[in-house]
Amino acid sequence: MLSLTIREVSAALREGRISPTELCKKCLNRIKKTQHLNAYITVTEELALQQAGEAEARLLQGAPKGPLDGIPFAVKDNFCTENINTTCASRMLKDYTPPFNATVVQKLFDQGAVLVGKANMDEFAMGAGSTDGAFGPVRNPWSYAAPYRERTGAAPDSDWVVTGGSSGGSAAAVASLTSYLALGSDTGGSTRNPGALCGVVALKPTYGLLSRHGLIPLVNSMDVPGIMTRSVGDAAIVLDILQGQDIRDSTTTPAPSSQTELHQHFDVRDICVGIPKEYHAPGLSQETLAQWSLVADMFERAGARVKQVSLPHTQHSIVCYHVLCHAEVASNMARFDGLEYGHRSEVDSSTEALYASSRHEGFNDVVRGRILSGNYFLLKQNYEHYFVKAQKVRRLIAEDFARAFASGVDVLLTPTTLADAARFSDFTQEDNRTRSAQEDVFTQPVNMAGLPAVSVPTALSSRGLPIGLQLIGPALQDKMLLCVAQWMEQRVGFPSIRDCGEEGGNGAGTARREQTSAV
C-alpha cells in the first residue's frame, strides 16, 4: 500500500480497502522503522492521527474533499506550519513556532491531506547534500537497498550515500515510502538535485505559479516551492491544487485556465527536444552522459525532433548565481538579530554584542560565510561591479532560454546532476561552496530564468543508485512539460525502491533493473 501512487491510494481510500487512519499509522510506523535515515526533524504523530480521523469521517459520509483527502505528506522545515516547530534546520530557529501556515501547506490541509512531519534539510536551505543542518545529515534510502549493497559490498554504517540538497529530507521521505508527497523549496536546484539522487520525481514550477507566502526566504527572486512525488502524474495532481494567485504574495500569477490532467496518450511526434551543448560539463559521469544520450535517442525513435541548441551564457551562470544568491541571503538573514524571534544569546553587555553573539551562536559557518560575502558584494564601492553586473548576466541567461524556445524547441533535455549520489565520507571532503557550485551546474540557470523544470529518475547506475534527467520548459508551460515527462517516465521503467528490496533484501526486481541500468 505504501508504494502506491497518490491516484491509486486515493482510489483505495474511497473504495474502503484501507482507512485513512490505518494508512496514517502505516506511514508513522514506517517513519519509526527508517529513523536511521534522519529524514524528519519533527514527526507530527498526534496531528496526523487527528487529521486522518477527520478524513475518515468525510469518506464514510461519501464527501471527500478531493484526491488528497487522507493522503500523508511531509513538508520541508522551512515552510511555516501553525503551532508546529519550523527550524530551517538551524539553531537560530530551533524553538520557533509560527502562528500561521504557509499558503501551500494550507492548500494541502484544505484538501484533507495529512501532515506526518517536517523534513530535514541543509541549514536555511544552503547546501547541496542535506549534510549541513543542525540536526545531522540525511541518509539516502538507496544506501540500504539491495542493488547498492550487492553491487558495491557497502557497509551500512560507513558507506551510506547522501540525498543531495537542500531538500534531502523531503526526497528521502518520499523515496523511503513514509509519505506520498513532500514539499521542498527550489532556489538553485534544491528539489531536483535530491529528487535525482533519491529516485523520485521533483518538479520546480514556473516562478510565481505557487505562492511563497510562509516559505522562509533564501533568495526571494529565485525561491519556488517544489513538489516531490513518486510519479509524474502525482506531481500534476499536487500542482493543480497548489497553483494560483495569492494576495499574500505579490509575485504570484493566475493559474493557467486548463486543468493539469495529463494526456495518457501524449504524442511526442508533435514536439521538438533541445539538447544544450554547453551542458556537457566537466565532471559529467560517463553513466549520466550515456543515459542522457539513450533518452534523447528514445525521443528521436518515437518521432520527436531532437536538435542541439546553444545556451552560450551557461558558463557564467555559477558565478552569477553565487553573487546574486549571497547578496539576497545577506539581506534576508538580517531579520535574525536575537531580538524579535529566534535564538537570543546570553551575552547582553550591549545591543551590538547581543546581535553579534546571537548570530554567531545561531548560524553555522556556511550561513555566516554567505552573509559576509553577500554584504561585501552590496558595499557601495562593489555594488555596480558585482551585483549590477550579475543582474545583467542573469538577463542574458534568461534570453538564451527564450531564444532556444523561440527557435521551435518545446522542451530541453539535460542531466540533473553530474553523477549518482556520493558517499557521505567523500562528499564532506570538499567545502559547502565547492560542492554547491558542482551540484547546481545544471539546475540553477532555470531558477535565474524563472522557468519550470522537472527531474525524472531514469535508471540505476552500476553502483545501484538512481540517475535522473531534467526537462526544462517555457514559462507557464508546466502542464506540457509534465506531459513530456510522463511519456518519458512510462518508457524508462525506473524501478521503485520496493521492487529492489531494502536493507539487503533478496534483490527482487532484478530483471526490471537490468533493463534500466545505465551500463
Side-chain angles (χ1 to χ4, degrees):
M1 189 60 73
L2 292 181
S3 58
L4 297 180
T5 65
I6 289 174
R7 194 181 295 278
E8 291 165 343
V9 81
S10 182
L13 289 169
R14 288 168 195 244
E15 292 162 13
R17 283 182 276 140
I18 190 169
S19 74
T21 302
E22 289 169 333
L23 185 64
C24 179
K25 285 178 178 174
K26 278 181 181 287
C27 285
L28 292 169
N29 289 336
R30 181 83 182 157
I31 290 171
K32 288 169 186 163
K33 186 184 172 187
T34 56
Q35 255 180 329
H36 57 281
L37 300 177
N38 200 26
Y40 292 86
I41 291 173
T42 304
V43 178
T44 54
E45 185 168 355
E46 194 175 316
L47 174 68
L49 290 169
Q50 178 195 323
Q51 290 176 330
E54 292 166 0
E56 196 163 328
R58 288 190 295 272
L59 285 165
L60 288 171
Q61 291 165 6
K65 287 184 171 182
L68 297 185
D69 208 354
I71 305 289
F73 75 102
V75 175
K76 187 176 181 179
D77 208 24
N78 59 345
F79 286 90
C80 289
T81 42
E82 186 177 359
N83 299 327
I84 301 166
N85 271 18
T86 299
T87 68
C88 287
S90 175
R91 199 174 162 217
M92 179 59 83
L93 290 178
K94 72 180 192 301
D95 298 318
Y96 175 58
T97 306
F100 68 100
N101 288 316
T103 296
V104 285
V105 174
Q106 188 59 54
K107 283 188 172 185
L108 291 174
F109 284 160
D110 291 344
Q111 288 287 314
V114 174
L115 178 63
V116 291
K118 303 294 294 291
N120 203 349
M121 55 187 284
D122 284 301
E123 182 163 334
F124 281 102
M126 299 184 205
S130 300
T131 57
D132 289 316
F135 299 94
V138 187
R139 299 185 179 205
N140 193 322
W142 286 89
S143 306
Y144 301 90
Y148 178 65
R149 293 269 166 249
E150 291 166 1
R151 297 181 194 185
T152 63
D157 291 323
S158 58
D159 291 331
W160 54 274
V161 298
V162 298
T163 55
S166 61
S167 308
S170 297
V174 175
S176 63
L177 314 180
T178 60
S179 69
Y180 290 88
L181 70 113
L183 294 181
S185 61
D186 196 310
T187 307
S190 286
T191 54
R192 288 161 289 151
N193 175 295
L197 300 186
C198 291
V200 300
V201 173
L203 171 66
K204 175 233 171 271
T206 299
Y207 182 82
L209 197 56
L210 271 59
S211 171
R212 291 182 295 111
H213 172 70
L215 167 59
I216 294 172
L218 176 66
V219 180
N220 303 64
S221 68
M222 299 185 212
D223 293 343
V224 178
I227 298 166
M228 305 176 109
T229 57
R230 287 197 282 275
S231 77
V232 174
D234 285 354
I237 291 170
V238 179
L239 176 66
D240 209 33
I241 287 161
L242 298 185
Q243 66 183 358
Q245 212 154 9
D246 178 16
I247 56 169
R248 297 180 185 88
D249 178 2
S250 61
T251 61
T252 50
T253 57
S257 53
S258 61
Q259 289 284 298
T260 324
E261 186 72 28
L262 302 184
H263 304 299
Q264 289 305 309
H265 304 291
F266 182 74
D267 190 352
V268 293
R269 289 175 298 181
D270 297 335
I271 69 159
C272 178
V273 179
I275 309 293
K277 65 180 183 182
E278 290 81 8
Y279 280 50
H280 287 80
L284 181 64
S285 75
Q286 283 303 310
E287 287 186 294
T288 305
L289 179 61
Q291 195 57 215
W292 188 17
S293 301
L294 196 73
V295 173
D297 291 344
M298 184 180 78
F299 273 108
E300 200 158 30
R301 283 197 307 274
R305 286 181 299 124
V306 178
K307 72 173 190 177
Q308 190 177 77
V309 297
S310 178
L311 303 171
H313 295 94
T314 298
Q315 59 180 316
H316 307 299
S317 65
I318 279 288
V319 176
C320 174
Y321 174 77
H322 173 75
V323 172
L324 296 175
C325 172
H326 290 210
E328 291 200 42
V329 162
S331 173
N332 278 322
M333 294 296 122
R335 72 194 70 192
F336 303 109
D337 54 15
L339 293 182
E340 295 164 278
Y341 44 75
H343 173 71
R344 180 179 293 190
S345 174
E346 298 292 319
V347 179
D348 58 0
S349 54
S350 70
T351 308
E352 287 77 10
L354 175 65
Y355 285 161
S357 53
S358 294
R359 288 163 71 79
H360 182 80
E361 293 165 11
F363 292 138
N364 69 6
D365 291 345
V366 175
V367 178
R368 291 202 303 270
R370 292 201 190 188
I371 291 169
L372 285 170
S373 58
N375 279 316
Y376 175 79
F377 297 143
L378 293 172
L379 287 172
K380 186 178 179 181
Q381 63 267 36
N382 295 336
Y383 183 80
E384 291 282 335
H385 185 62
Y386 290 104
F387 185 75
V388 173
K389 191 173 285 186
Q391 289 285 31
K392 289 176 179 177
V393 174
R394 178 180 185 174
R395 180 176 53 78
L396 294 173
I397 290 167
E399 286 175 356
D400 285 348
F401 283 110
R403 205 174 294 114
F405 291 126
S407 72
V409 169
D410 296 292
V411 294
L412 298 172
L413 175 69
T414 78
T416 309
T417 56
L418 287 166
D420 59 6
R423 289 192 311 170
F424 174 73
S425 53
D426 297 330
F427 187 81
T428 49
Q429 293 299 308
E430 292 180 302
D431 65 277
N432 176 285
R433 184 183 178 281
T434 304
R435 294 194 305 259
S436 296
Q438 290 169 340
E439 296 300 327
D440 292 346
V441 64
F442 302 125
T443 52
Q444 44 74 25
V446 172
N447 294 80
M448 290 196 284
L451 303 177
V454 60
S455 177
V456 180
T458 59
L460 293 181
S461 69
S462 58
R463 296 164 68 214
L465 296 171
I467 293 172
L469 293 180
Q470 175 180 234
L471 288 166
I472 303 166
L476 297 174
Q477 293 296 312
D478 302 59
K479 179 183 175 181
M480 181 273 293
L481 181 71
L482 290 172
C483 285
V484 179
Q486 183 172 260
W487 183 91
M488 185 170 99
E489 175 187 61
Q490 289 166 346
R491 280 149 188 81
V492 295
F494 183 79
S496 82
I497 201 166
R498 175 60 58 87
D499 293 336
C500 293
E502 293 160 275
E503 290 161 309
N506 60 11
T510 301
R512 192 170 171 210
R513 279 205 314 277
E514 299 288 330
Q515 295 167 6
T516 59
S517 178
V519 291

